Structure formats: structure tokens, C-alpha cells
Amino acid sequence: MKVRDPEGQTWRVTRRWVPWRRRLKGVDADAGPLDWGNGLGDDPISAVLAIILLIIALPFILLGLFVALEFLLLLLLVPFATLVRVAFGAHWTIEARRGFSIWWDAPSGSWGESGRRIQDVARAIVEGDLPPRTVAPKDA
């Protein structure tokens, strides 16, 4: 649920769908793809430069592949984990994010209880009663 506090700051109050906290930070919307210019030529010097660039870029390519595979695995597991959690009444954790940074989190019980708690926390934020910070900032 997305709400605004009296100062105009956007908050998101949601269930945490996986039992761990996400590790990725917010994506910079202004960042564009790499601009390689007009490409490399077909002479031997360009081939050497291309090989050097490939060696430099290889760790980033491997990291990107690792992140993509982890994301695909997460997409495959989340439906099953959600079904098991709902069916067996597992406890959910709800979290309030200020912008995209997690500010507060707390265990809140079953699916229905967590839904009511989300409504209560969102209503409190709109009224100006902000939750206390329970999650340390990323840069701390």
C-alpha cells in the first residue's frame, strides 16, 4: 500500500514476500546504457582493444549473469513459497519503506492479521504517526 505522510514523503507498507531482506538498492532511472560510440574497427589494434575491453568487462558480465539467474530462481520459488505460507498459516513480516529504503519491519502473524496491520500502519503514517526506525540505513 502506497501512502504519503503529512510532509509529502511517499511510504510503502507491504508484506515481505520472502523471509530475507532484498539486497539490491534502488535503480537509477537516469542511468542509460553504455555508449560504445560507432563500434570498433576491423584492424589488429581494434582487435587488441576489444580483447582488453572484454577482459575488463568479463567480471561485470559474470556478475550480471549471476544476478539474472538468482532473479529467475526467485521468480520460480516465490509462487510456491507464497502458497505454502498462506496454506499453512506461516507468519508474515510487514515492512514500511520510506521511498525505496526499508525504514521499519515487524512480524505480524497470519495473512489476514498482516493485512489488517498494514492498514493500521498506513493509516498511522498518513496521520503523521511515523513508525520508529528498526532497520539501519544501508550506508551506516
Side-chain angles (χ1 to χ4, degrees):
M1 169 177 284
K2 190 169 157 182
V3 296
R4 288 191 184 272
D5 64 16
E7 296 176 0
Q9 176 70 43
T10 302
W11 290 74
R12 290 167 179 81
V13 184
T14 59
R15 287 178 186 92
R16 186 178 301 148
W17 288 87
V18 291
W20 57 87
R21 288 191 186 127
R22 294 178 310 192
R23 290 179 290 168
L24 299 178
K25 293 184 179 180
V27 177
D28 185 7
D30 296 331
L34 291 175
D35 182 16
W36 291 97
N38 294 330
L40 295 171
D42 56 357
D43 57 304
I45 295 174
S46 296
V48 170
L49 288 175
I51 291 171
I52 291 171
L53 287 175
L54 180 63
I55 291 171
I56 292 171
L58 191 61
F60 299 104
I61 294 169
L62 292 174
L63 179 64
L65 286 173
F66 177 74
V67 169
L69 288 174
E70 183 180 11
F71 183 69
L72 286 174
L73 181 63
L74 183 64
L75 283 178
L76 290 173
L77 292 178
V78 164
F80 297 110
T82 303
L83 182 63
V84 168
R85 291 182 77 158
V86 171
F88 294 111
H91 289 271
W92 290 84
T93 300
I94 61 171
E95 60 189 20
R97 294 179 308 228
R98 189 173 185 180
F100 288 100
S101 302
I102 299 174
W103 181 272
W104 171 86
D105 63 355
S108 69
S110 69
W111 180 264
E113 291 169 358
S114 63
R116 287 186 291 278
R117 183 97 186 263
I118 287 172
Q119 296 289 331
D120 294 341
V121 171
R123 189 177 312 111
I125 289 172
V126 169
E127 294 170 357
D129 184 19
L130 303 179
R133 184 167 203 131
T134 60
V135 178
K138 295 263 185 202
D139 46 336

